[in-house]
Amino acid sequence: MAFVYEYARPSVTVDCVIFGLDDDGLKILLIQRDGDPYAGSWALPGGFVEMDESLDQAAQRELQEETGVSEVFLEQLYTFGAVGRDPRTRVITVAYYALVNLKDHKIEAATDARAAAWFALDDLPALAFDHDQILQMAQERLQGKVRYQPIGFELLPEKFSLRQLQRMYETVLGRSLDKRNFRKKALGLGVLEDLNEVERDVSHRAARLYRFDRAKYEQLVKNGFHFEL
Amino acid sequence: MAFVYEYARPSVTVDCVIFGLDDDGLKILLIQRDGDPYAGSWALPGGFVEMDESLDQAAQRELQEETGVSEVFLEQLYTFGAVGRDPRTRVITVAYYALVNLKDHKIEAATDARAAAWFALDDLPALAFDHDQILQMAQERLQGKVRYQPIGFELLPEKFSLRQLQRMYETVLGRSLDKRNFRKKALGLGVLEDLNEVERDVSHRAARLYRFDRAKYEQLVKNGFHFEL
DNA sequence: AACCTATAGTGTCTTCTATACACTATAGAT
DNA sequence: ATCTATAGTGTATAGAAGACACTATAGGTT
């Protein structure tokens, strides 16, 4: 492995853009940096990739260490490698993104972060490094992807009503959808399992609850079905 | 920059999947490796990222050095970082892909490669490292992307007939398309400039020639137009 | 008990888009 | 003059997307 030391080579980090949904809309998870550079600034959770872990594993580990959030479905977003993006030295970062149901994931700041917190997308602090660029690309990817793949189900609780599903789509897409057309289409996809249950303790007519049937979804995809919502 | 030496950190390379089109169909550009590991094997052109160049620049440089192909529009594909993908040490590779018109790009093997050559996709040699995986992902991306973005124009010469355009789409998508419907749709997009010229020296009725109007395309995209072919 | 409020749930019509499909025109070769 | 290979053109049908308004009901309020 001598060549590793022959020249200075770029280092590799991972950074995670974690989207969460609650009644106020979309949020993202940030940490407050403890060490230099950008000490005190808010940043995406992330850190250096170790020799004995894959990129995916590194992203999961850093997310867990810095925020306490674990077991999320992280998807690779893009790799950022501009020369000056870290003021200290050359750092290439592989960015990941994920969607989580905000209520399922309690956060706890840890180790190399002062704090971890959810921020509304329209009320963000200044971010360290080029993390604003990374976030922007993540939002674009999310909007593009949610239209033809049912990734958005990660944002919802296990059991959800069609209204919750519609609001999630409206929030992510940033526009309103027609109720009847949405329901027709969502049910027509054949990946929602009707639980024969209704909401409880709501002061209006209770909605039926559904579950996302991932097995049926994967079967349809295998047969070449093309999703779109 | 002391920390670079405190621990062994993964190295970073770039690899390029270059698709070319000629009358026989889709080809990809490979180099024969000169040094270990996999000496003599065919592989995707690529190499280590230097400290003072961006990832995109590194991909362009390695492609030029190893194959003589330059000035192509490289797009980032995915970053591969499994622990054992290079037998020597830990190497993370950022994969790029591009489409070129085969006749415009004469290849010339150089420096750290024995040879460079185009290979038909259905008649490939065994590839070094995990390059078969990278290639497979590139093919999937290409098929997905060609349907809703006019990237395929890179595969054609500057001036082309609608027949050439249709054959290119058929080749990439792997299925045949209806001539009249294809022409209707292609012309309807409004990004083809009619050059008021026809083919020369063909032993049949000569086809009109068109040019891809990138400026018009970008203007339409900016106004939220959603392409699909 | 009557009423209020908030959301659930339901169908039809119109418009647009995708697809299937067959013949005439013409440049160059024979 | 004829042949060959490809250019170029329009319509009809089927399916998908989008617009649109009312009745039903759980719980709260008076």
Side-chain angles (χ1 to χ4, degrees):
Chain A
M1 279 194 264
F3 74 91
V4 171
Y5 300 95
E6 281 171 26
Y7 312 101
R9 297 282 195 192
S11 302
V12 183
T13 60
V14 288
D15 284 307
C16 302
V17 182
I18 309 297
F19 292 100
L21 188 71
D22 69 6
D23 301 331
D24 302 339
L26 267 186
K27 307 262 170 93
I28 67 157
L29 183 53
L30 298 177
I31 58 145
Q32 193 171 29
R33 288 181 59 83
D34 202 21
D36 276 321
Y38 293 101
S41 284
W42 292 90
L44 298 172
F48 287 94
V49 175
E50 303 296 339
M51 286 296 273
D52 57 352
E53 64 185 358
S54 69
L55 297 170
D56 297 24
Q57 285 164 355
Q60 293 276 0
R61 176 183 54 74
E62 286 286 351
L63 181 62
Q64 209 280 322
E65 285 178 11
E66 295 192 338
T67 70
V69 171
S70 61
E71 293 182 32
V72 301
F73 180 67
L74 284 161
E75 190 158 347
Q76 202 187 98
L77 171 65
Y78 195 78
T79 299
F80 295 81
V83 170
R85 56 175 299 282
D86 186 314
R88 290 169 299 183
T89 178
R90 182 70 192 286
V91 179
I92 290 166
T93 195
V94 183
Y96 280 78
Y97 74 109
L99 310 173
V100 303
N101 172 20
L102 237 162
K103 285 166 190 151
D104 289 353
H105 293 275
K106 289 295 160 219
I107 60 181
E108 21 178 296
T111 55
D112 48 343
R114 285 187 196 165
W118 292 101
F119 287 82
L121 272 173
D122 51 12
D123 187 25
L124 290 178
L127 300 184
F129 305 105
D130 55 356
H131 287 187
D132 51 341
Q133 275 181 52
I134 297 176
L135 173 59
Q136 192 188 331
M137 187 177 285
Q139 277 187 266
E140 289 165 9
R141 178 77 65 91
L142 179 58
Q143 288 194 8
K145 196 140 195 174
V146 82
R147 291 187 44 198
Y148 61 93
Q149 283 189 18
I151 49 172
F153 292 96
E154 319 281 349
L155 287 163
L156 296 176
E158 167 83 10
K159 301 175 178 184
F160 52 84
S161 67
L162 289 180
R163 178 186 178 77
Q164 283 177 287
L165 183 64
Q166 181 175 349
R167 288 189 59 156
M168 184 270 288
Y169 271 89
E170 288 176 336
T171 303
V172 172
L173 294 174
R175 63 191 168 93
S176 60
L177 302 170
D178 178 84
K179 184 162 109 172
R180 278 176 290 189
N181 293 336
F182 179 85
R183 296 165 83 93
K184 204 188 316 176
K185 197 159 181 182
L187 291 174
L189 290 178
V191 297
L192 296 184
E193 182 186 346
D194 186 341
L195 293 169
N196 288 309
E197 266 180 84
V198 294
E199 293 174 313
R200 311 232 44 182
D201 299 319
V202 290
S203 75
H204 52 74
R205 179 169 170 183
R208 297 184 80 83
L209 296 176
Y210 295 84
R211 200 174 64 79
F212 175 57
D213 189 335
R214 186 167 289 278
K216 213 177 277 177
Y217 164 65
E218 277 161 13
Q219 193 187 328
L220 285 173
V221 166
K222 205 179 327 187
N223 297 336
F225 195 89
H226 184 52
F227 276 82
E228 191 153 337
L229 246 171
Chain B
M1 280 192 264
F3 74 91
V4 171
Y5 301 95
E6 281 171 27
Y7 313 100
R9 297 282 197 195
S11 302
V12 183
T13 61
V14 288
D15 285 307
C16 302
V17 182
I18 309 298
F19 292 101
L21 188 71
D22 69 5
D23 302 331
D24 302 339
L26 267 186
K27 306 263 169 93
I28 67 158
L29 183 53
L30 297 177
I31 59 146
Q32 193 171 28
R33 289 181 58 83
D34 203 19
D36 277 321
Y38 293 100
S41 284
W42 292 90
L44 297 173
F48 288 94
V49 175
E50 304 296 339
M51 286 297 271
D52 58 351
E53 64 185 357
S54 69
L55 296 170
D56 296 24
Q57 286 164 356
Q60 293 276 0
R61 177 183 54 73
E62 287 288 350
L63 181 63
Q64 209 280 322
E65 285 178 11
E66 294 192 337
T67 70
V69 170
S70 61
E71 293 181 34
V72 301
F73 180 67
L74 284 161
E75 190 158 347
Q76 202 186 99
L77 172 65
Y78 195 77
T79 299
F80 294 81
V83 170
R85 55 175 299 282
D86 186 314
R88 290 168 299 184
T89 178
R90 182 71 191 286
V91 179
I92 291 166
T93 194
V94 183
Y96 280 78
Y97 73 109
L99 310 173
V100 303
N101 172 21
L102 238 164
K103 284 166 188 149
D104 289 353
H105 292 275
K106 289 295 161 221
I107 60 181
E108 21 178 295
T111 55
D112 48 344
R114 286 188 196 164
W118 292 100
F119 286 82
L121 272 173
D122 50 13
D123 187 26
L124 290 178
L127 299 185
F129 306 105
D130 54 356
H131 287 187
D132 51 341
Q133 275 181 53
I134 297 176
L135 172 60
Q136 193 188 332
M137 189 177 284
Q139 278 188 266
E140 289 165 9
R141 179 76 67 90
L142 179 58
Q143 288 195 7
K145 196 141 195 175
V146 82
R147 290 187 44 198
Y148 62 92
Q149 282 189 19
I151 49 173
F153 292 96
E154 317 281 349
L155 287 162
L156 297 175
E158 167 83 11
K159 302 174 179 185
F160 53 84
S161 66
L162 289 180
R163 178 186 177 78
Q164 285 177 287
L165 183 64
Q166 181 176 348
R167 289 190 58 157
M168 183 270 288
Y169 271 89
E170 288 176 336
T171 303
V172 171
L173 293 175
R175 63 190 167 95
S176 60
L177 302 170
D178 179 84
K179 183 161 108 170
R180 278 176 291 188
N181 293 337
F182 180 84
R183 296 165 84 93
K184 205 189 315 177
K185 196 159 182 181
L187 292 173
L189 291 177
V191 297
L192 296 184
E193 181 186 346
D194 186 339
L195 293 169
N196 289 310
E197 266 181 86
V198 294
E199 292 174 313
R200 310 232 46 181
D201 298 320
V202 290
S203 75
H204 51 75
R205 178 169 171 184
R208 297 184 82 82
L209 296 177
Y210 295 84
R211 200 175 64 80
F212 175 57
D213 189 335
R214 187 166 289 277
K216 212 178 278 178
Y217 164 64
E218 277 161 13
Q219 193 187 328
L220 285 174
V221 167
K222 204 178 332 186
N223 297 336
F225 195 88
H226 184 50
F227 276 82
E228 190 154 340
L229 244 171

